[in-house]
Amino acid sequence: MPNVKVVNMKGAEVGEMTLSDKVFGAEVNGAVLHTAVRAYLMNQRQGTQSALTRTEVSGGGKKPWRQKGTGRARQGSTRAPQWTHGGVVFAPKPRSYRVTINKKVRQLAIKSALSAKVASGDFVVVDAIVADEYKTKVMAEMLAAVGAKKKALVVLADNDAKVVGSFANIACVKTAQTNAINVYDILNADTLVIAKGAAEKLEEVYA
């Protein structure tokens, strides 16, 4: 079982935590991670792009010139794709890019992503992340104190509006609750900063 040190918001070590092998010490499955990240990115697409085909462009009903005898190439419409203001070949139309993956695959991907962060050392456990008021400076100082890199994902046990609001103005920092984390955000972050209570919740859910 991996052991990690627990620090406070000032970066001072206040104890140790033994993490579950099933969640934070699992074998990293690259294929499953790829599947989960691909599904997440595809599900972000709106699929609202649209363009007009030659049948939908206004005009072009009249033949530009007669078929033979002009020396020019034969043309049937000024709205054919090779013409300016013509239609688009295989024009994109609104569609859904949604991809679903099985629950077990999704859970395995979360475990693999968390385990990868622990194995690489980019995993910081904070005993408690709290805020008495909306103060960006306090949270920025906390991230610096615990050694978080530029891109950080802060995982909270509960939705604390003051904590989330205090992180909101810090560039490249995202916050998430344990019930809303995803593989892409975990892997995309340089450092995963997690509250001790959130780590315990993840163990309850995924172990």
Side-chain angles (χ1 to χ4, degrees):
M1 290 186 177
N3 287 326
V4 294
K5 64 181 182 179
V6 179
V7 298
N8 59 21
M9 290 181 64
K10 294 185 178 180
E13 187 173 344
V14 294
E16 251 191 13
M17 183 179 184
T18 301
L19 300 173
S20 169
D21 267 341
K22 292 182 179 178
V23 181
F24 298 100
E27 182 181 349
V28 179
N29 190 321
V32 168
L33 289 176
H34 176 270
T35 299
V37 170
R38 177 179 175 274
Y40 174 82
L41 292 175
M42 291 191 72
N43 292 342
Q44 302 309 299
R45 298 186 67 174
Q46 291 185 330
T48 55
Q49 72 276 39
S50 183
L52 302 180
T53 64
R54 63 181 296 173
T55 63
E56 296 167 321
V57 178
S58 176
K62 180 184 176 183
K63 190 173 174 66
W65 51 76
R66 58 189 180 145
Q67 181 82 346
K68 292 178 176 292
T70 65
R72 291 180 289 185
R74 54 193 175 186
Q75 302 291 335
S77 170
T78 57
R79 296 299 180 261
Q82 73 271 20
W83 283 72
T84 302
H85 309 302
V88 177
V89 183
F90 306 127
K93 292 296 177 185
R95 52 162 289 194
S96 172
Y97 289 92
R98 185 151 190 83
V99 173
T100 58
I101 57 177
N102 294 334
K103 182 179 178 180
K104 287 185 177 180
V105 174
R106 189 167 61 249
Q107 291 179 341
L108 180 57
I110 291 284
K111 293 177 186 178
S112 291
L114 292 171
S115 299
K117 285 299 176 188
V118 174
S120 66
D122 299 318
F123 187 87
V124 179
V125 179
V126 182
D127 60 346
I129 303 175
V130 294
D132 296 327
E133 56 181 334
Y134 292 94
K135 204 73 174 175
T136 300
K137 183 180 178 181
V138 173
M139 294 306 165
E141 289 174 349
M142 185 210 78
L143 292 174
V146 301
K149 297 174 186 174
K150 184 177 181 181
K151 284 196 295 184
L153 174 64
V154 181
V155 183
L156 307 170
D158 301 298
N159 183 22
D160 188 326
K162 289 181 180 177
V163 172
V164 173
S166 298
F167 278 114
N169 285 336
I170 305 176
C172 303
V173 175
K174 291 188 72 173
T175 55
Q177 295 177 59
T178 52
N179 61 350
I181 58 173
N182 64 76
V183 175
Y184 177 81
D185 284 343
I186 295 172
L187 296 179
N188 188 48
D190 295 326
T191 307
L192 179 62
V193 180
I194 186 169
K196 185 178 179 182
E200 292 169 348
K201 271 194 175 183
L202 287 174
E203 289 185 342
E204 287 178 18
V205 174
Y206 294 101

